[in-house]
């Protein structure tokens, strides 16, 4: 039997996306980032704290397996967000996620950066989920790392 779990960060306040080449990490101790520096940071605010995050984690034959991708949903549409996403596509990135509980989580590392893809969809009814699905992918499994401070 395979154990499967999905990690969620709900109520996202903002994404802080940094160029991996301009980011450096200190030690990661038991899943917590001890310190870092980042420049060239793009901030994508979530005005209603309604963004959500999902990444699959499962127990396989060789231990815990994490997905090579994670997705974040940004509700609604804005030209500003669309332009920011266009600038980030194709770059090597490290991503910070600030939750509504003011916790900061980091996805990717300078040595194992992420790439971004995004798509927009709108529903037919007002209650349908409309917005951007922002997908981050990596050649290796994505780690979710807690950080006591933000990029900025």
């Amino acid at each position: 039997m395979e154990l499967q779990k999905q990690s969620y960060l709900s109520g996202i306040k903002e994404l802080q996306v940094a160029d991996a080449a301009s980011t450096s990490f200190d030690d990661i101790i038991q899943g917590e980032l001890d310190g870092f520096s980042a420049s060239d940071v793009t901030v994508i605010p979530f005005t209603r704290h309604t963004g959500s995050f999902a990444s699959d984690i499962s127990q396989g034959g060789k231990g815990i397996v994490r997905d090579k991708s994670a997705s974040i949903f940004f509700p609604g549409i804005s030209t500003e967000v669309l332009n920011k996403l266009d600038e980030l596509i194709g770059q090597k990135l490290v991503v910070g996620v600030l939750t509504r509980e003011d916790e900061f989580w980091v996805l990717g590392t300078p040595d194992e950066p992420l790439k971004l893809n995004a798509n927009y969809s709108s529903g037919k009814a007002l209650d349908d989920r409309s917005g951007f699905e922002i997908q981050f992918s990596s050649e290796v499994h994505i780690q979710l790392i807690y950080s006591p401070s933000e990029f900025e």
Side-chain angles (χ1 to χ4, degrees):
M1 183 165 91
E2 185 175 296
L3 171 69
Q4 191 156 359
K5 179 182 176 187
Q6 200 165 38
S7 297
Y8 289 98
L9 299 177
S10 62
I12 295 174
K13 284 186 178 180
E14 68 184 21
L15 292 182
Q16 297 178 15
V17 184
D19 176 43
S22 71
T23 306
S24 65
F25 281 16
D26 292 340
D27 293 330
I28 300 172
I29 302 167
Q30 295 182 351
E32 185 170 326
L33 187 56
D34 195 31
F36 61 86
S37 64
S39 58
D40 195 18
V41 177
T42 300
V43 176
I44 301 175
F46 286 61
T47 55
R48 295 171 291 202
H49 305 183
T50 54
S52 61
F53 167 87
S55 178
D56 284 330
I57 302 169
S58 61
Q59 177 69 44
K62 295 183 180 180
I64 294 175
V65 178
R66 297 180 186 276
D67 261 0
K68 292 183 180 182
S69 65
S71 62
I72 294 176
F73 181 73
F74 182 93
I77 188 168
S78 99
T79 304
E80 181 182 358
V81 170
L82 181 61
N83 291 337
K84 286 181 181 183
L85 293 175
D86 284 348
E87 291 173 13
L88 295 170
I89 289 176
Q91 294 186 35
K92 294 179 179 181
L93 307 168
V94 175
V95 179
V97 179
L98 181 63
T99 69
R100 71 173 161 220
E101 291 86 16
D102 291 322
E103 290 185 346
F104 193 69
W105 295 85
V106 178
L107 300 157
T109 67
D111 296 329
E112 297 172 349
L114 307 180
K115 291 199 174 184
L116 177 146
N117 288 309
N119 65 51
Y120 177 79
S121 62
S122 74
K124 294 179 181 178
L126 287 175
D127 291 343
D128 290 347
R129 185 169 154 150
S130 298
F132 291 99
E133 190 75 32
I134 304 169
Q135 179 110 19
F136 295 100
S137 60
S138 174
E139 293 183 15
V140 297
H141 300 290
I142 296 176
Q143 292 184 51
L144 184 60
I145 307 163
Y146 175 76
S147 174
S149 60
E150 300 174 37
F151 287 154
E152 298 186 308

